[in-house]
Amino acid sequence: MKHTGAEIIIRMLERKGIEVIAGIPGSANLTLYKVLHGSKIKHVLARHEQGAGFIAQGMARSTGKAAVCFATSGPGATNLITAIADAKLDSVPVVAFTGQVATTMIGTDAFQEIDTYGLTIPVTRHNFLARSAADLLEIIPEAFRIAESGRPGPVVIDVPRDVQLQEVEFDEWPSFHEINTKDGIDSNSLSEIASEINNSLRPVILYGAGIIESRSESLLAELAEKNNIPVISTLRGLGAFDPFHPLYLGMMGMHGTKYANHITDQADLVLALGFRFDDRATGKASDFCSNARIIQVDIDKTEIGKIKAVHRHIHADINVFLEAVIPLIDRDQRTEWTGRAAAVKELMPYIKAPLNGDVFHPLRIIDEVAATVPEDTIDTTDVGQHQMWVAMKFPFRRSRTFLTSGGLGTMGFGVPAAIGAALAWPGRKVVCFSGDGSFLMNIQELATIAEQKPNLAILLFNNGSLGLVRQQQELFYEKKYIASEFQSRPDFAMIARGFGIKSFDLEKEKDPLAVLRGALDSEEPVFINIPINFSENVFPMVPPGSANKIMIG
Ligand SMILES: Cc1ncc(C[n+]2csc(CCOP(=O)(O)OP(=O)(O)O)c2C)c(N)n1
């Protein structure tokens, strides 16, 4: 058979089972779009390539499968870079196809030429510049293998215009690689680790998104329950462990629970599962679990001992490790330690909304949302105080229901990621919690929402400021407020209405919580402006650079 490079791309994406592509066309990828015109793949026109990248991320983060986005050369590709870098830091499988000027023009500063290959090397797991249509037959399966296997991540395929047009003859379609992460584990190290766990008096499990990526949620619960081990999550691990489980101590780190940070500090053994010792989670690394022996299990070799020297490690898929280690683990009651953990939890009760206070208190709003929406609702956030309040307070009961930019902390993530989640799960409710700073960074995607009409509610925590910046200035920069308080206050509800989206402004409502509940019940897209007290701070908090046991608030 004979196909052009563009046909190879679209036909292979169909064969891979890709159903939705987010992107924006331009002269360097119009041949690709011409073929997409006749495809069963749905194209979602974003209004900014960063939006397209985050829409793809929303699909990938909520499903665990690779998602695809398209951008043209030059500014299309550079606009995509933040979303790609974000996917790299949070290990999200996104495959981005960028148009490029013709191979004969590369290096001539041609119109909309940029070295996408060079620019994306540091922010991808891998990237390709396709030099011929025949190359694409190898590159595409390889790109998906790299994006989805081991530790997932983004891959860029840069495709020059002439490669999209070039015809190539071949006998059969290449197949996509089977993903196999099930390599065995050395049985000696396994039994040594098992006896360390069995013999420890004060063990704790610190887990990260690796539990979700390896689909190990039930094995994690089995291990914790069998040996009676307290469990603590990172920001990105939320949802993988039952938030109401007696062994669960919540999130660790800068805005974690006091008791999670306290118990980690008292532990004699830390089992770090798919957790990369991010500085927002560990605080001052040298003081982090300084009384414990550390066992680290991670699928990415480069993460082993990267931040903190560990006493033992296993480089493996967490699922394989847990399946192999659980049979070697004793049934331990360990009541002294779990009793102590429970007592600390009691002594340092979790944050609550003030009982008779502000109806718009962020924690009250989050409680109200959690009580109203179905359990399988997918929540996205932007970055700032609202993100931390949601992470701390929303009871995430399932994996992949909390989509947030953890590693890169990218304002502007929330709205397009919510669109992607809604596209991937048309039957489910999606809620985006945003801040008035972050929302403006990808506000143009309201147009995409108006077109796609997903079951999506945007809740704007509007405090008239870059709240998390203002909080840091208040606490750590001697109240020298600069560039954190907004002078202008846009009427966001009116703006959203202007985009064609049903909007509510709770500031103007007599019974705001009833209006909030009603809006959340709607199956069409809604925008809800919520006035948040300007001086509200997120507590507790570990001062940047401090040890986790030093928590203020
Ligand atoms: C793209 C980007 N620019 C700057 C920052 C630094 N930053 C972190 S939080 C924050 C304030 C966020 O304000 P807003 O979205 O209104 O949320 P709030 O903290 O008020 O809830 C800023 C500027 C960032 N994380 N991302």
Side-chain angles (χ1 to χ4, degrees), residues 383-386 409-411 435-438 441 463 465-469:
V383 172
Q385 291 179 313
H386 62 280
T410 313
M411 293 166 71
D436 47 334
S438 299
M441 291 212 183
N463 54 9
S465 65
L466 298 169
L468 200 55
V469 172

Side-chain angles (χ1 to χ4, degrees), residues 319-442:
N319 199 283
V320 176
F321 166 75
L322 286 173
E323 264 186 358
V325 86
I326 288 171
L328 310 179
I329 296 294
D330 297 339
R331 290 198 175 276
D332 196 306
Q333 291 315 307
R334 207 177 268 120
T335 45
E336 197 278 325
W337 173 234
T338 46
R340 193 187 318 175
V344 171
K345 203 169 166 179
E346 193 70 26
L347 205 74
M348 302 175 170
Y350 201 39
I351 48 159
K352 283 195 182 95
L355 277 180
N356 297 314
D358 181 8
V359 69
F360 296 121
H361 193 283
L363 300 178
R364 167 151 311 142
I365 297 289
I366 293 166
D367 281 343
E368 202 66 43
V369 177
T372 308
V373 297
E375 206 179 291
D376 67 352
T377 295
I378 301 170
D379 295 303
T380 73
T381 71
D382 265 300
V383 172
Q385 291 179 313
H386 62 280
Q387 175 190 32
M388 291 302 125
W389 280 314
V390 171
M392 293 162 114
K393 200 70 178 89
F394 200 99
F396 296 103
R397 290 178 171 88
R398 301 183 189 194
S399 283
R400 303 192 183 282
T401 57
F402 177 47
L403 315 187
T404 200
S405 170
L408 200 63
T410 313
M411 293 166 71
F413 170 91
V415 170
I419 299 173
L423 288 165
W425 298 97
R428 285 165 72 177
K429 178 110 208 141
V430 179
V431 174
C432 165
F433 293 88
S434 189
D436 47 334
S438 299
F439 182 55
L440 281 169
M441 291 212 183
N442 270 319

Side-chain angles (χ1 to χ4, degrees), residues 112-274:
Q112 295 192 327
E113 182 193 358
I114 201 85
D115 178 7
T116 304
Y117 177 82
L119 278 174
T120 56
I121 288 174
V123 294
T124 49
R125 265 199 85 192
H126 200 70
N127 61 359
F128 300 90
L129 170 59
R131 300 209 169 262
S132 70
D135 277 1
L136 287 166
L137 295 165
E138 277 177 38
I139 289 175
I140 296 172
E142 188 58 4
F144 279 93
R145 185 191 67 74
I146 295 169
E148 291 184 313
S149 64
R151 179 179 183 170
V155 176
V156 167
I157 307 178
D158 200 29
V159 195
R161 291 177 66 168
D162 52 331
V163 172
Q164 294 170 43
L165 285 164
Q166 190 184 38
E167 281 196 317
V168 60
E169 206 161 339
F170 54 100
D171 295 334
E172 55 181 316
W173 288 104
S175 45
F176 286 90
H177 302 278
E178 287 273 317
I179 292 171
N180 174 24
T181 50
K182 305 278 173 190
D183 291 340
I185 297 177
D186 170 48
S187 60
N188 281 341
S189 14
L190 203 62
S191 55
E192 282 166 7
I193 285 176
S195 67
E196 283 222 34
I197 297 173
N198 289 331
N199 294 331
S200 102
L201 296 174
R202 301 185 308 279
V204 64
I205 295 173
L206 306 184
Y207 80 89
I211 290 290
I212 298 171
E213 295 307 338
S214 61
R215 297 177 166 80
S216 303
E217 296 85 346
S218 52
L219 289 173
L220 169 65
E222 193 180 334
L223 172 66
E225 284 167 1
K226 187 168 183 190
N227 201 250
N228 226 1
I229 312 176
V231 176
I232 294 170
S233 176
T234 64
L235 175 77
R236 293 250 300 111
L238 294 175
F241 197 82
D242 175 5
F244 301 109
H245 196 293
L247 286 170
Y248 185 59
L249 296 180
M251 183 171 80
M252 69 179 112
M254 181 178 272
H255 289 292
T257 64
K258 280 193 177 180
Y259 41 85
N261 288 342
H262 201 75
I263 286 295
T264 305
D265 193 54
Q266 292 184 13
D268 66 354
L269 181 82
V270 163
L271 188 54
L273 302 177

Side-chain angles (χ1 to χ4, degrees), residues 502-514:
K502 196 167 174 184
S503 300
F504 302 87
D505 188 345
L506 298 195
E507 195 163 13
K508 298 182 179 149
E509 301 292 344
K510 270 212 195 87
D511 187 351
L513 295 185

